[in-house]
Amino acid sequence: MKKKSSFSTRGQRADIGDMVIYRILPNRYADAVGPIVFLDHIVPNKQTTINKEGTGAHPHRGIATLTYILNGEGEHFDSAGNYGKIHSGGVQWMKAGNGIIHDETLNSDSKTDSELVHGFQFWINLPSNIKAEAPAYLSVEGNAVPFKTLSENKGWIKVILGGFEDLNSVIPNYSEQFLYHIHLEAGAQFEIELADKLEVAAYLPTLPASINDEKFNGGEFIEFDRKEGSVELTNTNGEACDILLFGGENYNEPIEAEGPFVMNSKLDIANAYRDYYNGDYGKIDYEKQRVKV
């Protein structure tokens, strides 16, 4: 049986500098999909000014950030001394744990002639015991992201988070969760079965598509019911289109979120701010981290 859509909505503008960003999650209907509590879409845009200063160093606690870059080059710095650079198709994951300061840049890809910049950032809520752990960082270049061509050359699927058939992401999971990038050729169709009680959503970055026989426009976020069932994706365009399908099991602990912190109580939030202002999260040494690589 096909899953039914619960609602659909569009994001709100949340630009940073020259980057046009739509905040997709949270929205007026949903605060989270499984453990995923935040999604920003950096819409496709040709970059005319190189960003060397980052988006601004800022703290996090209690979450993991996951940045997926379709087009461009992402550079990561954090106060735990981690540094990384990924290119088109790559993924950066950072466990904020008990507190960290990080910064990111997003520029056109130095390995290609394209000036296009396009990407996403997700925040993944961590279980309370993992929130207490030390920060960690992992980067995965595009050619190392698990990938499979669909039958009859209908397109392909990339597993950014979780698993699909024999594909498994190296990004750590602390609960059942998944993030798939599905690329469908013109007129192609793809169907996937999803288990009971999973919270599931789809996002159409640029082009419209039909999902379980309903038509949705580019830029729409769609959430589904929580019963076991299938999601059937159909590309109704005359060109290839991309769809993000993501979700996971319900986060069953209390959630208290404020600014860059997602914790389990108001006291946890107060402690997160206290430790940040006390300097416990450390500092970023940009030049030293670049030199180490």
Side-chain angles (χ1 to χ4, degrees):
M1 182 178 293
K2 294 178 181 178
K3 295 175 75 67
K4 294 181 179 180
S5 62
S6 303
F7 67 86
S8 64
T9 189
R10 303 180 71 88
Q12 300 293 318
R13 287 284 290 268
D15 298 359
I16 298 176
D18 293 334
M19 290 191 296
V20 178
I21 297 174
Y22 280 91
R23 184 142 301 156
I24 308 304
L25 193 69
N27 56 58
R28 60 180 174 166
Y29 300 111
D31 292 325
V33 180
I36 297 170
V37 295
F38 179 95
L39 169 57
D40 266 2
H41 178 203
I42 304 158
V43 303
N45 189 39
K46 281 202 169 184
Q47 189 173 52
T48 56
T49 303
I50 298 299
N51 172 23
K52 294 182 180 180
E53 304 302 323
T55 55
H58 56 281
H60 284 298
R61 189 167 182 166
I63 60 169
T65 63
L66 187 150
T67 303
Y68 176 40
I69 299 177
L70 270 66
N71 303 97
E73 178 178 280
E75 196 172 21
H76 168 97
F77 305 84
D78 67 46
S79 57
N82 298 304
Y83 171 81
K85 182 183 284 188
I86 58 169
H87 301 84
S88 298
V91 180
Q92 291 187 129
W93 174 88
M94 183 192 73
K95 181 179 72 175
N98 60 13
I100 198 168
I101 297 171
H102 83 144
D103 197 0
E104 294 175 291
T105 67
L106 181 56
N107 294 303
S108 53
D109 195 334
S110 63
K111 291 186 175 182
T112 70
D113 294 329
S114 173
E115 296 177 348
L116 192 65
V117 171
H118 185 198
F120 306 89
Q121 184 168 89
F122 294 80
W123 292 5
I124 302 165
N125 198 2
L126 298 173
S128 56
N129 62 316
I130 307 299
K131 292 179 189 289
E133 292 183 351
Y137 170 77
L138 179 65
S139 64
V140 183
E141 275 287 20
N143 58 8
V145 175
F147 169 96
K148 174 177 285 190
T149 300
L150 302 178
S151 63
E152 300 175 5
N153 293 317
K154 294 178 180 178
W156 46 257
I157 182 171
K158 287 185 178 180
V159 178
I160 312 302
L161 183 66
F164 172 75
E165 294 182 348
D166 59 338
L167 303 179
N168 289 286
S169 170
V170 299
I171 301 298
N173 261 353
Y174 302 105
S175 64
E176 187 175 355
Q177 53 196 263
F178 63 94
L179 168 57
Y180 306 142
H181 175 186
I182 300 160
H183 179 87
L184 293 178
E185 298 298 334
Q189 191 174 84
F190 171 76
E191 187 171 9
I192 183 171
E193 291 288 334
L194 294 159
D196 188 30
K197 296 182 181 178
L198 285 182
E199 298 180 7
V200 180
Y203 179 62
L204 303 175
T206 55
L207 294 176
S210 175
I211 303 178
N212 285 353
D213 305 316
E214 289 187 76
K215 294 181 179 179
F216 297 99
N217 295 317
E220 280 198 82
F221 166 96
I222 305 100
E223 189 173 83
F224 302 93
D225 66 41
R226 299 178 186 179
K227 297 178 182 178
E228 179 181 359
S230 63
V231 173
E232 182 185 76
L233 309 171
T234 305
N235 181 3
T236 55
N237 305 286
E239 59 184 303
C241 77
D242 295 283
I243 302 165
L244 296 184
L245 190 68
F246 59 92
E249 62 181 299
N250 178 53
Y251 187 89
N252 57 14
E253 298 182 80
I255 300 173
E256 194 70 40
E258 186 174 317
F261 306 125
V262 182
M263 304 302 294
N264 299 112
S265 70
K266 290 186 182 297
L267 178 60
D268 291 338
I269 292 289
N271 290 338
Y273 276 108
R274 178 201 64 197
D275 294 346
Y276 169 59
Y277 288 120
N278 283 344
D280 294 348
Y281 295 0
K283 294 182 179 179
I284 297 174
D285 188 333
Y286 292 86
E287 294 308 316
K288 182 178 179 180
Q289 289 179 30
R290 274 197 178 107
V291 169
K292 278 171 50 178
V293 176

